[in-house]
Amino acid sequence: MPGKLSIDSYGKSNVRVTKVIRLPDRHELVELSVNVQLWGDFSRSFTHGDNASLIATDSMKNTVYVLAKTHPMDSPESFALSLADHFVTTYPHVRRARIAADQTSWRRIDVAGRPHPTAFESAGAGIRAGWGLAARDGPRSTGASISNLLLLKTTDSAFIGFIRDRYTTLPETTDRIFATEMSVNWTYESLDIDYDAAFTRIRTALLETFARHKSDAVQQTLFDMGQAALDTEPSINQIQIDMPNKHRVPFNFKPFGLEFDNDVYITTDAPSGRISATIERE
Amino acid sequence: MPGKLSIDSYGKSNVRVTKVIRLPDRHELVELSVNVQLWGDFSRSFTHGDNASLIATDSMKNTVYVLAKTHPMDSPESFALSLADHFVTTYPHVRRARIAADQTSWRRIDVAGRPHPTAFESAGAGIRAGWGLAARDGPRSTGASISNLLLLKTTDSAFIGFIRDRYTTLPETTDRIFATEMSVNWTYESLDIDYDAAFTRIRTALLETFARHKSDAVQQTLFDMGQAALDTEPSINQIQIDMPNKHRVPFNFKPFGLEFDNDVYITTDAPSGRISATIERE
Amino acid sequence: MPGKLSIDSYGKSNVRVTKVIRLPDRHELVELSVNVQLWGDFSRSFTHGDNASLIATDSMKNTVYVLAKTHPMDSPESFALSLADHFVTTYPHVRRARIAADQTSWRRIDVAGRPHPTAFESAGAGIRAGWGLAARDGPRSTGASISNLLLLKTTDSAFIGFIRDRYTTLPETTDRIFATEMSVNWTYESLDIDYDAAFTRIRTALLETFARHKSDAVQQTLFDMGQAALDTEPSINQIQIDMPNKHRVPFNFKPFGLEFDNDVYITTDAPSGRISATIERE
Amino acid sequence: MPGKLSIDSYGKSNVRVTKVIRLPDRHELVELSVNVQLWGDFSRSFTHGDNASLIATDSMKNTVYVLAKTHPMDSPESFALSLADHFVTTYPHVRRARIAADQTSWRRIDVAGRPHPTAFESAGAGIRAGWGLAARDGPRSTGASISNLLLLKTTDSAFIGFIRDRYTTLPETTDRIFATEMSVNWTYESLDIDYDAAFTRIRTALLETFARHKSDAVQQTLFDMGQAALDTEPSINQIQIDMPNKHRVPFNFKPFGLEFDNDVYITTDAPSGRISATIERE
């Protein structure tokens, strides 16, 4: 046969776990969707159907629930790292384990103006995920991400001075809507982190900069947001940001004897611009 | 040919409009996805391809944007009713127009603890929609709905005393997780309504009741929520509620020498219970 | 309290079942997603949390799997009707049961030009569903539907002669692309039906008419398709068809010194026209 | 400020184009969703909001439609490569362009047993995509992928001999359902390719091997499928395959006094196994 195995990994996707932590005055609720991915010496399963070194993915799923019982699940990052540690320490032939956990965003329902101790509603506001990576005899690391966070500013966004050639029909504008669905991820430089606090600082820096920035290009706003995150958070040295440009297109009122006054826009999904960059600490 | 036209309607779906209202101290942002549906004398288009009485759906789309310019868009209900009125008053052969508008949920970004005047993030928290119906020489009405609102309570939910027969394996429980994706809709009894205030009162009554209720069945909680809404809001006489039971299944810890302590659950999407009812004012 | 229960039902959604029928020369594969909905005397569960008359939705789920074992599952309609019969005959307080079953569409993988006896690939081509309804001491009925079937014709579609007024900017066209995502449903007049054969005849009549029709309006094509289905299939007297107009918009080549020659279109999803009608046998 | 730009790119996502090629006896239909991504000297847009070197993403969109007019669009790969070439040859500061194009899968409607010349229905069967990469003064390359292709075999799949430890509850089985949603991608070794023919050969080799393989592990089937593709197609030296294990779980009939006979399964989506590998020519 012509081929050889060059890279392989396997694992379990979308192990969904709900944990309730019953404190005296309130319940804490954590819901994660966990992904397990392992690298190691599994090649004979591929080449010979010999499964002697395979951890069944069903057993990985069981492991997530069993560890969820004893782990405080205080952050997706710490739970992910514990799981990654488990796999590399339990199985000598596992070289590397990467666990990622998407967290469902809940907030307490307000009842008569006070957060209820045991009832929750969806919080929207993008998806937080944390990940942990452990390598046998190697480094351990953690990181986090925000994805699917819709942001929109109604002013302070211009787009002028770009290339005008045969393919250009877009007019210049000094005041447009800037809407995006932000995805951001970063790696922590240390494992001695208060993950929730760091996450909140980074998220706040990103959003406040988005709100305040006088934008001359999506690119420029993205860069300033990344700089603000690095400026705020000493535990990261690098941040990767994707900010598609989800266009709001001025409606053409001319055929109706009216003028567009930066008031009524066509909301579109496709196509969208795609702007990505990694910003590093100097 | 064997058939005759018995019911017909047509319209335009998913006309997406963004409106920015530029006040001196802040901008208001409204994003709606509008659906137009008309009933009237359009039969020759079906039977003969004679389009003389057809309003092109592209023209309906234009109409949404043109009316968006002058309408205050203070609520999806009022905008929907204005559009419905427009169609029945502009075109004599339109018998009935129903407009529904789904509103994208935005909230202001907090900057240094204060809501920013021109920058927004997604608010999650379910979809609000409003609708308006106008009939030639007939009644006009409005209503609203909440959909896709995830709710979860970690306690105060039991399920006992149900039928046990050959098909029953579910154990009784006095303490389970109750999770749902609520959809609710209602019709207003008057057109002289502060729609935002009514919506907020109904939403609050539903959520506070969900949070507080000692549930013996999803059915019972649904009924109490509907009663609370009717009790709170004199402008509605009827409310229709769907509350699927999105199960959180106790993880079986027995094979691992552990016990389930109402702590770790399998999060599932399918199958789900489906519980629906309409509650009317007596 | 102010309210009374006016309408209620409950059931189980999305019970997903895979059945393999092991014939000597090949395996048959059936995958259904089953929805159960019951009406009956369940009011004390809503009003008092008294579940003595409740069939747990978990038991409904078990019932689907248990009946799947013995039923031939030769069509979604017959399986749905058997389930509906089961609920009204087993539980005296169930007045009515409606079961709907969406079928996943598989076809055999061709191996060396012949269909493989035990291996399958996704067939696409829309979703077939069947339903069965049984009422205590009342009628039993069945029906079927096709949904999400994408159809497109590149010519033989005009749109002229529609109303031109202040809101009209759409030019007339004698040759446009006609694309739709068809949904169709019907009820059978008898229970003595070869459901697969009837389904295929109706589907074929609809698609052949779509392909052949010289369309002067989506409405007209829809009506002719419905007539063709009634003409072909004596077991139905009525058919309901939704055919949104999924627009392909001519690209404006003028700014580039080129002409649109019915060749290159912008593919869009939103907004879309929505055209619906019910056609009945005269 | 603390940060510097380390990696950046931008482009346009989801430019959707429909092209009709009007031949004497039939129309050809091509629908693509095109993604453009450029690398080059755009840093001053990020760091200074100076857009002098920016090609507006709206201009990229226009370019897709303008090139669609003259290009034969005989394959997504060739169209993608032409677009990539265009960007690196037109703009001296563009170092690299990568274009990917997802193709909507249509097949002709059969009318009276013959494929209709101008009418089409959705073909399902996974998504074909092609890509082209061009670098200034550097290599040009193309490749293709299949994604979201559902495959299922009802027998010839075992899973035995895996690790049994504290976390293992899965029983061994010599006959299970093997269902997956395959994603595969590869790079061509030459640009002198009949892309459609190569695509069909690779797809056929993968599916026939899936159908015929006596599987002792998903891993083994994946490896054999990759080997078959390399064996069949000399123009590729490497293939990357993802085959999640979409479980069909035996229904537990014991509580109902029945036996599971490899007949009725619970169809599940989550969690799923995830098996990935790259197979290279030796």
Side-chain angles (χ1 to χ4, degrees), chain A residues 14 31 45 67 95 109 115 122 195 224 240 262 268 271 275:
Chain A
N14 209 7
E31 292 206 325
S45 176
L67 267 65
R95 271 200 316 277
I109 294 174
S122 172
Y195 291 112
D224 269 34
Q240 201 273 326
N262 284 348
T268 65
I275 325 291

Side-chain angles (χ1 to χ4, degrees), chain B:
Chain B
M1 287 294 262
K4 69 169 200 291
L5 195 63
S6 73
I7 306 171
D8 66 275
S9 69
Y10 83 109
K12 194 80 165 184
S13 289
N14 209 7
V15 181
R16 299 180 61 194
V17 57
T18 299
K19 182 165 182 179
V20 178
I21 301 158
R22 293 167 190 266
L23 305 176
D25 62 333
R26 69 187 190 283
H27 290 181
E28 297 289 342
L29 170 66
V30 182
E31 292 206 326
L32 299 178
S33 172
V34 178
N35 291 275
V36 175
Q37 191 170 14
L38 305 183
W39 291 260
D41 185 10
F42 308 118
S43 63
R44 282 185 57 83
S45 176
F46 286 89
T47 56
H48 294 77
D50 170 356
N51 300 326
S53 68
L54 273 199
I55 306 149
T57 67
D58 189 75
S59 305
M60 299 179 193
K61 177 207 71 184
N62 288 340
T63 304
V64 171
Y65 290 103
V66 170
L67 269 63
K69 192 168 182 68
T70 50
H71 194 279
M73 292 186 80
D74 48 322
S75 73
E77 294 87 348
S78 65
F79 184 57
L81 186 61
S82 292
L83 274 165
D85 286 341
H86 169 87
F87 286 107
V88 295
T89 57
T90 304
Y91 304 101
H93 63 296
V94 173
R95 271 201 316 277
R96 191 155 60 115
R98 187 184 194 280
I99 314 295
D102 284 5
Q103 182 161 337
T104 303
S105 182
W106 293 104
R107 67 168 163 248
R108 291 177 192 279
I109 293 175
D110 273 331
V111 175
R114 298 181 46 187
H116 193 275
T118 62
F120 300 84
E121 63 178 309
S122 171
I127 298 166
R128 173 179 173 181
W131 55 263
L133 179 72
R136 176 164 305 281
D137 308 323
R140 299 158 71 231
S141 56
T142 56
S145 65
I146 306 168
S147 57
N148 297 104
L149 180 54
L150 301 179
L151 301 175
L152 185 151
K153 52 194 289 175
T154 56
T155 190
D156 290 335
S157 172
F159 191 52
I160 61 174
F162 49 85
I163 292 174
R164 298 208 76 84
D165 64 8
R166 183 190 175 206
Y167 300 100
T168 313
T169 55
L170 185 75
E172 297 193 327
T173 175
T174 56
D175 195 5
R176 62 174 180 172
I177 287 184
F178 178 175
T180 188
E181 187 171 354
M182 186 180 72
S183 295
V184 185
N185 63 77
W186 60 85
T187 299
Y188 290 108
E189 294 301 307
S190 148
L191 298 178
D192 181 21
I193 298 279
D194 177 340
Y195 291 112
D196 280 3
F199 183 89
T200 300
R201 282 192 299 268
I202 292 170
R203 190 184 193 283
T204 300
L206 291 166
L207 266 65
E208 293 198 347
T209 307
F210 174 81
R212 283 173 166 160
H213 191 249
K214 310 289 184 196
S215 174
D216 290 317
V218 171
Q219 282 85 342
Q220 187 198 21
T221 304
L222 182 158
F223 184 63
D224 269 35
M225 289 166 68
Q227 289 210 313
L230 294 178
D231 211 15
T232 298
E233 184 53 38
S235 68
I236 64 171
N237 281 340
Q238 186 177 297
I239 188 163
Q240 202 272 327
I241 307 179
D242 290 301
M243 282 180 37
N245 195 347
K246 309 291 268 185
H247 306 290
R248 268 60 178 169
V249 180
F251 185 74
N252 177 16
F253 281 106
K254 290 242 165 60
F256 314 99
L258 300 167
E259 287 295 318
F260 172 71
D261 300 311
N262 285 349
D263 50 355
V264 175
Y265 302 79
I266 302 166
T267 321
T268 65
D269 270 333
S272 55
R274 48 186 292 183
I275 325 290
S276 303
T278 301
I279 296 105
E280 290 182 345
R281 197 177 297 281
E282 288 208 273

Side-chain angles (χ1 to χ4, degrees), chain D residues 38-115:
Chain D
L38 304 184
W39 291 259
D41 184 10
F42 309 117
S43 63
R44 282 185 56 85
S45 177
F46 286 89
T47 55
H48 294 77
D50 169 357
N51 301 326
S53 69
L54 273 200
I55 305 149
T57 67
D58 189 75
S59 305
M60 298 178 194
K61 176 207 72 182
N62 288 339
T63 304
V64 171
Y65 290 104
V66 170
L67 268 64
K69 191 168 184 66
T70 50
H71 194 277
M73 292 186 79
D74 49 323
S75 73
E77 294 86 349
S78 66
F79 184 57
L81 185 61
S82 291
L83 274 164
D85 285 341
H86 169 86
F87 286 108
V88 295
T89 56
T90 304
Y91 303 101
H93 63 297
V94 172
R95 271 201 316 278
R96 191 156 59 116
R98 187 184 193 281
I99 313 295
D102 284 4
Q103 182 161 337
T104 305
S105 183
W106 293 103
R107 67 169 162 248
R108 291 178 192 278
I109 294 174
D110 272 331
V111 175
R114 297 182 45 187

Side-chain angles (χ1 to χ4, degrees), chain D:
Chain D
M1 287 294 260
K4 69 170 198 291
L5 195 64
S6 73
I7 306 170
D8 66 275
S9 69
Y10 83 110
K12 194 79 165 184
S13 288
N14 209 9
V15 181
R16 298 179 62 194
V17 57
T18 299
K19 182 165 184 180
V20 178
I21 301 159
R22 295 169 188 266
L23 304 176
D25 63 333
R26 68 186 193 283
H27 290 180
E28 297 290 342
L29 170 66
V30 182
E31 292 206 325
L32 298 179
S33 172
V34 178
N35 291 276
V36 175
Q37 191 171 13
L38 304 184
W39 291 259
D41 184 10
F42 309 117
S43 63
R44 282 185 56 85
S45 177
F46 286 89
T47 55
H48 294 77
D50 169 357
N51 301 326
S53 69
L54 273 200
I55 305 149
T57 67
D58 189 75
S59 305
M60 298 178 194
K61 176 207 72 182
N62 288 339
T63 304
V64 171
Y65 290 104
V66 170
L67 268 64
K69 191 168 184 66
T70 50
H71 194 277
M73 292 186 79
D74 49 323
S75 73
E77 294 86 349
S78 66
F79 184 57
L81 185 61
S82 291
L83 274 164
D85 285 341
H86 169 86
F87 286 108
V88 295
T89 56
T90 304
Y91 303 101
H93 63 297
V94 172
R95 271 201 316 278
R96 191 156 59 116
R98 187 184 193 281
I99 313 295
D102 284 4
Q103 182 161 337
T104 305
S105 183
W106 293 103
R107 67 169 162 248
R108 291 178 192 278
I109 294 174
D110 272 331
V111 175
R114 297 182 45 187
H116 194 275
T118 62
F120 300 83
E121 63 178 309
S122 171
I127 298 166
R128 172 180 173 181
W131 55 263
L133 179 73
R136 174 165 305 280
D137 308 322
R140 300 158 71 230
S141 57
T142 55
S145 66
I146 306 168
S147 57
N148 297 103
L149 180 54
L150 300 179
L151 302 176
L152 185 152
K153 52 194 290 174
T154 56
T155 190
D156 290 335
S157 172
F159 192 51
I160 61 175
F162 49 85
I163 292 174
R164 298 207 77 83
D165 65 8
R166 181 189 175 204
Y167 300 99
T168 313
T169 55
L170 185 75
E172 297 193 328
T173 175
T174 56
D175 195 3
R176 62 174 181 171
I177 287 185
F178 178 176
T180 188
E181 187 172 354
M182 186 180 72
S183 295
V184 185
N185 64 76
W186 60 85
T187 299
Y188 290 108
E189 294 301 306
S190 148
L191 298 178
D192 182 21
I193 299 279
D194 177 340
Y195 291 112
D196 280 2
F199 184 90
T200 301
R201 282 192 299 268
I202 292 170
R203 191 185 191 283
T204 301
L206 292 166
L207 266 65
E208 293 198 347
T209 306
F210 174 82
R212 284 172 165 161
H213 191 248
K214 310 289 183 194
S215 175
D216 290 317
V218 171
Q219 283 86 341
Q220 187 197 22
T221 305
L222 182 157
F223 183 65
D224 270 34
M225 289 166 69
Q227 289 209 313
L230 294 178
D231 211 15
T232 299
E233 184 54 38
S235 68
I236 63 172
N237 282 341
Q238 185 177 297
I239 188 163
Q240 201 272 328
I241 307 179
D242 291 301
M243 283 181 35
N245 196 347
K246 309 291 267 184
H247 307 290
R248 269 59 179 169
V249 180
F251 185 75
N252 178 16
F253 281 106
K254 291 241 165 61
F256 313 100
L258 299 167
E259 286 295 319
F260 172 72
D261 299 312
N262 284 349
D263 51 355
V264 176
Y265 302 79
I266 302 167
T267 321
T268 66
D269 270 334
S272 54
R274 49 185 292 183
I275 324 291
S276 303
T278 301
I279 296 105
E280 290 183 344
R281 196 177 298 281
E282 289 208 273

